Amino acid sequence: MISSLHRPTVATVDLKAIQNNIKAVQTHIPQGTKTYAVVKANAYGHGAVAVANAISQEVDAYCVSNLDEALELRQAGIKKEILILGVVLASELPLVIENQITITVASQEWLNAAQAYFSDLSRLHVHLKVDSGMGRIGVRSLAEADQLIANMLKANIQVDGIFTHFATADEADTEKFQAQLTFFTELVNGLTYKPALVHASNSATSIWHSETIFNAVRLGIVIYGLNPSGSKLALPYPLEEALTLSSRLVHVKAIHAGDTVGYGATYTAKADEFVGTIPIGYADGWTRDLQDFSVLIDGQFCQIIGRVSMDQITVRLPKAYPIGEKVTLIGKDGDKEITATDLANKKGTINYEVLCLLSDRIPRKYH
Ligand SMILES: *Cc1c(COP(=O)(O)O)cnc(C)c1O
């Protein structure tokens, strides 16, 4: 999609904040832990190439979710290790090997397919995924893990790592978390051949269960400055939200009691009031369920009235502001703040989704 550069709506990303967030986590985990920065989904909407370049000093490697995301980083000149967390089509292995990308292997069936396609897999680097209770991908027993590693070694594949992923590390109740940790720990300890890298910690695990780090962490949402639990659990130390979303009023008018605003005429003015229009809508990821939510103008909350359209929203203003008045949709204005978590709470979802939904139509600027 073409980015709308000639519109005042813009997401500004503070790359320094991302660096600081990584350093904050690193000071709270054992020294020597390898840091993977998770920059999948365009770095959670922040821009994968810009983020990856900015943090190359702070991290050892990157994680993405698929081959195209890995290739985007390689084509941008990123040299460090890139681990793909999802399953890659076996037929795509030449591209993987040529670009020196590390992939996740999650089943014997996948290995069989890879070996049916290609006889020489000696330059392939992999991490084995263990399903310790997440229920998505990975082997589910020590016997399966041992056999799959043995078969990969026999095929001369470089088995660099083994990892798992927690389903509930962001919750107060740790019972499921402990069960997964015990399963994974026992499995790793029982392996005939133990790969050098062992990792289990996403953001939530890294900040609330730092005692469980093996020798690497996979940091996603925390590097962007957001709380993995939303507002359920308090952060153990402060983080800086890296992304702000802003725009400007493009139209301001007075309406009268009885006038309606927007599709479906869902809003009717009870008195004379001022209405401002902002060029952002559900095609930008500012979804329709944000009707009645607020934006910040001149240090005040201004309510979104009427439906969210594809490209425009309308807000009630306390007075007639001029065209061009600044609007903050995510971020601070004066002593008020709107966070991605506030949006998530209004929408009944998680801050991750709010950021990932911000579409390519919104340009990303960096400082
Ligand atoms: C997305 C993902 C992460 C990062 O998760 P955060 O909660 O954002 O830290 C880590 N590991 C795997 C396997 C993932 O899919």
Side-chain angles (χ1 to χ4, degrees):
M1 190 196 290
I2 278 213
S3 200
S4 296
L5 299 172
H6 303 93
R7 189 178 69 154
T9 304
V10 60
T12 306
V13 177
D14 183 348
L15 295 169
K16 188 96 198 144
I18 299 179
Q19 294 168 348
N20 290 342
N21 292 332
I22 294 169
K23 288 182 200 149
V25 178
Q26 285 170 336
T27 59
H28 291 87
I29 59 179
Q31 266 202 338
T33 302
K34 182 166 171 170
T35 303
Y36 284 85
V38 182
V39 295
K40 62 192 180 190
N42 202 26
Y44 297 39
H46 294 66
V49 170
V51 169
N53 275 320
I55 60 178
S56 62
Q57 298 298 307
E58 282 77 22
V59 306
D60 302 290
Y62 302 94
C63 294
V64 295
S65 75
N66 64 48
L67 181 53
D68 297 279
E69 293 179 350
L71 294 175
E72 182 189 22
L73 296 184
R74 278 287 180 260
Q75 279 154 17
I78 300 284
K79 297 279 187 291
K80 289 190 170 169
E81 182 194 338
I82 301 171
L83 169 64
I84 297 178
L85 297 169
V87 178
V88 174
L89 291 172
S91 55
E92 300 293 351
L93 284 180
L95 210 45
V96 168
I97 291 168
E98 186 187 321
N99 288 279
Q100 295 182 292
I101 290 159
T102 306
I103 63 167
T104 294
V105 171
S107 68
Q108 178 64 47
E109 190 180 349
W110 182 93
L111 180 64
N112 295 344
Q115 290 188 287
Y117 276 115
F118 307 105
S119 52
D120 180 10
L121 295 173
S122 62
R123 290 195 300 137
L124 179 63
H125 287 259
V126 309
H127 289 206
L128 175 66
K129 182 70 183 280
V130 174
D131 179 8
S132 58
M134 180 69 166
R136 295 192 307 199
I137 59 171
V139 297
R140 291 168 68 96
S141 71
L142 171 59
E144 230 185 315
D146 241 356
Q147 188 63 58
L148 185 46
I149 291 176
N151 292 343
M152 288 195 286
L153 294 175
K154 213 183 302 163
N156 292 317
I157 293 172
Q158 315 297 318
V159 185
D160 298 340
I162 183 165
F163 72 110
T164 197
H165 194 49
F166 292 108
T168 60
D170 60 342
E171 293 180 10
D173 183 345
T174 60
E175 192 184 329
K176 168 92 185 171
F177 175 84
Q178 289 302 340
Q180 282 195 254
L181 179 62
T182 302
F183 178 91
F184 183 64
T185 307
E186 287 177 4
L187 184 145
V188 168
N189 290 340
L191 288 172
T192 306
Y193 174 88
K194 185 167 141 186
L197 280 163
V198 183
H199 49 110
S201 306
N202 58 358
S203 294
T205 314
S206 301
I207 65 172
W208 288 305
H209 300 278
S210 54
E211 76 284 0
T212 62
I213 290 161
F214 292 85
N215 57 22
V217 290
R218 305 184 303 271
L219 303 180
I221 198 83
V222 287
I223 76 175
Y224 309 104
L226 285 139
N227 183 329
S229 80
S231 23
K232 282 185 294 180
L233 304 179
L235 288 173
Y237 39 86
L239 300 170
E240 301 171 51
E241 252 190 88
L243 184 142
T244 58
L245 179 62
S246 62
S247 189
R248 293 187 183 275
L249 294 178
V250 293
H251 188 81
V252 178
K253 63 180 173 292
I255 61 170
H256 303 294
D259 289 349
T260 69
V261 177
Y263 282 114
T266 60
Y267 180 80
T268 306
K270 291 199 187 69
D272 292 355
E273 51 196 30
F274 295 102
V275 177
T277 304
I278 304 161
I280 189 169
Y282 60 78
D284 297 287
W286 194 267
T287 48
R288 293 173 82 250
D289 47 12
L290 292 169
Q291 181 165 353
D292 303 329
F293 193 67
S294 293
V295 302
L296 289 169
I297 298 172
D298 193 20
Q300 309 152 87
F301 287 106
C302 296
Q303 195 184 24
I304 298 169
I305 56 171
R307 294 231 172 106
V308 170
S309 301
M310 187 185 293
D311 319 298
Q312 305 181 56
I313 58 172
T314 36
V315 299
R316 190 170 48 235
L317 301 172
K319 63 178 200 191
Y321 283 103
I323 286 176
E325 182 74 17
K326 178 155 189 215
V327 179
T328 301
L329 296 118
I330 299 175
K332 293 193 181 97
D333 182 6
D335 60 354
K336 307 276 193 317
E337 183 176 19
I338 295 171
T339 66
T341 304
D342 295 334
L343 266 84
N345 290 341
K346 161 69 180 164
K347 288 157 60 73
T349 183
I350 54 174
N351 49 29
Y352 295 70
E353 190 182 36
V354 169
L355 294 173
C356 290
L357 282 183
L358 296 179
S359 77
D360 290 349
R361 193 160 78 170
I362 302 174
R364 271 62 168 180
K365 289 203 179 130
Y366 298 93
H367 70 78

